[in-house]
Amino acid sequence: MYKRIRDLREDRDMTQKQLAEYLNISQATYSRYESGNLDVPSSVLIKLSEFYKVSIDYILGQTNISKRPTEK
Amino acid sequence: MYKRIRDLREDRDMTQKQLAEYLNISQATYSRYESGNLDVPSSVLIKLSEFYKVSIDYILGQTNISKRPTEK
């Protein structure tokens, strides 16, 4: 379910450590998100959506269109 | 953060019990989702998105446009 979270990071040539720092969590926790061992909290989904500028639906594999909804 | 989950249910005149049955969880757990006492797992966000036919971004308050991404 969280394959896209890894793909998004790798596409930007970023490390798990960098993402963990951005999210203010340990690298071990971040790594468990990517591997699917730990559910990604909604607050983290929102932060990742803001960071990568993609929709949460895209992050969770519900669409192949990455763009975020424009109107708030 | 989960205000919309309650609003969506109330707009359809559904009970917490009905939603809990749809999600195959206890009503107590469902109730904790709506109150924000428990993080909503990504799998539940996806199920709610399918049930209400709204985007996950909408459920999490990231947009006021409810419609789901059309293209998979």
Side-chain angles (χ1 to χ4, degrees):
Chain A
M1 185 160 61
Y2 295 132
K3 184 178 179 302
R4 283 234 166 104
I5 292 183
R6 170 163 287 154
D7 289 346
L8 284 161
R9 177 180 58 76
E10 291 180 346
D11 285 351
R12 271 115 178 132
D13 292 321
M14 297 192 67
T15 63
Q16 292 194 342
K17 184 167 182 287
Q18 287 174 309
L19 262 294
E21 280 169 6
Y22 168 71
L23 295 168
N24 214 21
I25 57 176
S26 72
Q27 184 176 344
T29 296
Y30 178 81
S31 174
R32 291 178 68 201
Y33 292 159
E34 280 197 1
S35 65
N37 283 324
L38 195 63
D39 199 81
V40 178
S42 298
S43 60
V44 170
L45 291 175
I46 292 170
K47 282 184 194 169
L48 291 173
S49 164
E50 291 168 347
F51 184 77
Y52 291 123
K53 304 191 192 317
V54 300
S55 70
I56 299 169
D57 292 270
Y58 181 80
I59 292 175
L60 294 181
Q62 301 304 294
T63 177
N64 290 325
I65 300 171
S66 64
K67 84 167 173 4
R68 298 177 75 194
T70 45
E71 203 176 313
K72 271 288 256 194
Chain B
M1 185 161 60
Y2 295 132
K3 184 178 179 302
R4 283 235 165 104
I5 293 183
R6 171 164 286 154
D7 290 345
L8 284 162
R9 178 179 58 76
E10 291 179 346
D11 285 351
R12 271 116 180 133
D13 293 321
M14 297 191 68
T15 64
Q16 291 194 342
K17 185 167 182 288
Q18 288 173 308
L19 262 293
E21 280 169 6
Y22 168 72
L23 295 168
N24 214 20
I25 57 176
S26 72
Q27 185 175 344
T29 296
Y30 179 81
S31 174
R32 291 179 68 201
Y33 292 159
E34 280 196 1
S35 65
N37 283 324
L38 194 62
D39 199 82
V40 179
S42 298
S43 59
V44 169
L45 291 174
I46 292 170
K47 282 184 194 168
L48 291 173
S49 164
E50 291 168 345
F51 184 78
Y52 291 124
K53 303 190 194 318
V54 300
S55 72
I56 299 169
D57 292 271
Y58 181 80
I59 291 175
L60 294 180
Q62 301 305 294
T63 176
N64 291 325
I65 300 171
S66 65
K67 84 167 172 10
R68 298 177 72 193
T70 44
E71 204 176 311
K72 272 286 254 194

